[in-house]
Amino acid sequence: MANASRPTVLIVDDNEEILKSTAQYFRTRGYAVIESSTPLGVTSLIIQHSPSVLILDLMMPALSGDALLKLLRRATATRNLPTVLYSSADEELLYRISKSVEGTGYVQKSDGLPALFRAVETRLASATT
């Protein structure tokens, strides 16, 4: 279960190096972190840990981030989870996906972890208002 005293972030990225560095970045800023290197089983992780926000890579094998996001938005238990797409995909594509799925923001990986952190904080703030 998530620690009630601090926000929990679920990070889903098939690149282990990015997954680990992102997880460490958020841990050092007071977040509880759940990591997954595959989009498979993410719904179970969400139900089990109740994360405050989902950081989701777009380009993953087996199930793309946008396909996973569409599935999550259909299920009652995961429909309203604030999400930030964190991808090296083209900004126009990220923008289109984020606009088509309510509650979703995006950051290009080239913008770095500080930009991702700000986007997560923004998603959390808008989810509580």
Side-chain angles (χ1 to χ4, degrees), residues 11 18-28 31 33 35:
I11 305 167
I18 291 172
L19 180 64
K20 297 298 180 194
S21 63
T22 305
Q24 183 60 30
Y25 189 87
F26 277 85
R27 281 188 184 103
T28 62
Y31 281 74
V33 177
E35 303 171 41

Side-chain angles (χ1 to χ4, degrees), residues 61-110:
L63 183 64
S64 68
D66 59 326
L68 173 61
L69 188 55
K70 289 174 187 172
L71 291 171
L72 293 174
R73 292 301 190 241
R74 290 184 192 143
T76 304
T78 58
R79 175 174 296 140
N80 297 316
L81 179 62
T83 303
V84 177
L85 297 173
Y86 187 53
S87 178
S88 55
D90 177 77
E91 184 170 8
E92 184 178 322
L93 174 63
L94 289 170
Y95 176 80
R96 278 197 323 263
I97 293 169
S98 72
K99 290 301 170 197
S100 70
V101 183
E102 188 177 335
T104 304
Y106 72 91
V107 173
Q108 286 188 292
K109 287 182 178 174
S110 61

Side-chain angles (χ1 to χ4, degrees), residues 23-80:
Q24 183 60 30
Y25 189 87
F26 277 85
R27 281 188 184 103
T28 62
R29 282 150 185 81
Y31 281 74
V33 177
I34 302 147
E35 303 171 41
S36 180
S37 61
T38 177
L40 304 177
V42 166
T43 302
S44 295
L45 288 173
I46 293 169
I47 292 168
Q48 180 182 1
H49 297 282
S50 300
S52 308
V53 66
L54 169 65
I55 297 173
L56 182 61
D57 185 21
L58 195 60
M59 310 290 192
M60 293 184 288
L63 183 64
S64 68
D66 59 326
L68 173 61
L69 188 55
K70 289 174 187 172
L71 291 171
L72 293 174
R73 292 301 190 241
R74 290 184 192 143
T76 304
T78 58
R79 175 174 296 140
N80 297 316

